[in-house]
Amino acid sequence: MEVQHKSKFSVIIPTYNERLNIALIVYLVFKHLRDVDFEIIVVDDGSPDGTQDIVKQLQQVYGEDRILLRARPKKLGLGTAYIHGLKHASGNFVVIMDADLSHHPKYLPSFIRKQLETGADIVTGTRYVKDGGVHGWTLMRKLTSRGANVLAQTLLWPGVSDLTGSFRLYRKSVLEDVISSCVSKGYVFQMEMIVRASRKGYHIEEVPITFVDRVFGSSKLGGSEIVEYLKGLAYLLVTT
C-alpha cells in the first residue's frame, strides 16, 4: 500500500559495532519507503569494527544526500546520539530506530500512515497490544521486559503500552522539546522520553510491531541496565 505524505522524514540510526547489520537495514528502509521523501542519519560512536567504512560505501550507492554519516569519537550514550543526529536532520519528522534489525523497516509505512490519519505528534511501536510481540527472546527476558513495563504502567500511568521500546516517529519540534527535558541515559532514556511527552500533553499513537532479537552481534542489555531502569523509574515517579 502506498503512503502519501508530503513531509520529509529523517531516520536517525545510532550505531556501535553494527558492520554486519547496517547495509541490510539501509536497504530495507529504502525498500519500504519508496514513495516517501527521507534521509538516513547514521550516528556512529567510533565503532572499531569498520561500521563507518560500510556506511561510506553505502553513500556511494545511495548518495551522500540520502545517507548522512555523522560520527562521534567514542561511545557517548543513546540520548546524546539522538541530539547529535537531530542537529543534522532536515526533515520535519524524525524516526528513531535501532540498527540491529530488531526494528524492521517494514513497519515504517504503518507509522507514517498512523500519523497522517491521526495528526499524532508521536507514533510509537508497541509489542504489547494485539498483533504485537517479540521473537527470539528467552522466557526470562520476556518476563523482565513485560514486568518492567507493567511496573512503569502502574506507577507512572503514561497512557502508552510499551514504555521501553525505541522504535518511534516524532514530529521534529516535539522531539526537540521532549529530548531537551530528559536527563536519563541508557535503557531508561526511552521510558523518560515517552513519559515526559505524555506529561506535556502531546498526542501519542501506537502501532503494533514484532520485536526481533538482534540478528548479528550481542545484546547490550545486562544486569546493570536493569538496575539503571529501576533507579530511573524511581526518579520519574518523583519528578513527573
Side-chain angles (χ1 to χ4, degrees):
M1 184 185 294
E2 288 190 4
V3 179
Q4 298 297 330
H5 205 304
K6 295 180 180 178
S7 298
K8 181 175 182 179
F9 297 82
S10 298
V11 182
I12 299 177
I13 306 179
T15 58
Y16 184 75
N17 285 350
E18 297 292 358
R19 179 178 63 85
L20 296 174
N21 293 319
I22 191 61
L24 183 52
I25 198 81
V26 166
Y27 163 76
L28 289 170
V29 171
F30 273 87
K31 177 183 177 181
H32 291 285
L33 293 184
R34 284 180 177 160
D35 302 312
V36 176
D37 185 12
F38 73 93
E39 63 187 0
I40 297 174
I41 303 170
V42 179
V43 180
D44 184 74
D45 277 2
S47 296
D49 73 339
T51 296
Q52 292 183 32
D53 294 331
I54 300 298
V55 175
K56 289 173 184 174
Q57 291 178 41
L58 292 169
Q59 287 179 316
Q60 300 305 308
V61 175
Y62 294 102
E64 292 185 21
D65 60 325
R66 303 298 302 280
I67 299 180
L68 288 66
L69 175 59
R70 297 296 180 258
R72 304 192 296 177
K74 61 181 181 180
K75 289 188 77 172
L76 296 169
L78 192 60
T80 58
Y82 293 138
I83 292 171
H84 187 70
L86 259 176
K87 292 176 182 175
H88 303 281
S90 61
N92 51 329
F93 284 89
V94 175
V95 172
I96 59 173
M97 63 188 301
D98 294 345
D100 62 6
L101 300 172
S102 56
H103 300 152
H104 200 297
K106 70 181 180 182
Y107 295 111
L108 288 173
S110 298
F111 280 47
I112 295 171
R113 191 177 301 112
K114 176 69 78 172
Q115 194 287 321
L116 194 59
E117 291 171 352
T118 64
D121 298 308
I122 302 169
V123 178
T124 183
T126 177
R127 299 159 286 183
Y128 302 124
V129 295
K130 185 177 181 293
D131 298 326
V134 294
H135 180 78
W137 277 9
T138 63
L139 178 60
M140 181 56 68
R141 189 168 179 196
K142 286 182 180 179
L143 290 173
T144 300
S145 177
R146 188 62 169 164
N149 270 278
V150 169
L151 184 61
Q153 292 282 344
T154 304
L155 296 176
L156 299 174
W157 288 90
V160 292
S161 63
D162 193 342
L163 285 164
T164 55
S166 54
F167 192 6
R168 296 175 183 159
L169 181 155
Y170 288 86
R171 200 179 295 274
K172 184 182 178 184
S173 57
V174 170
L175 179 56
E176 288 171 333
D177 178 40
V178 172
I179 208 167
S180 67
S181 62
C182 290
V183 300
S184 303
K185 295 179 180 178
Y187 190 59
V188 184
F189 176 74
Q190 301 294 355
M191 179 172 67
E192 181 175 4
M193 288 268 285
I194 206 72
V195 171
R196 297 276 182 207
S198 178
R199 295 292 190 268
K200 286 172 176 282
Y202 287 121
H203 180 183
I204 304 170
E205 292 283 345
E206 295 185 314
V207 168
I209 63 166
T210 296
F211 180 99
V212 180
D213 202 19
R214 62 167 38 251
V215 178
F216 297 111
S218 58
S219 174
K220 301 174 179 75
L221 176 64
S224 61
E225 282 79 12
I226 295 171
V227 172
E228 284 300 310
Y229 171 83
L230 294 172
K231 288 162 67 175
L233 186 61
Y235 167 76
L236 290 175
L237 189 59
V238 172
T239 61
T240 63

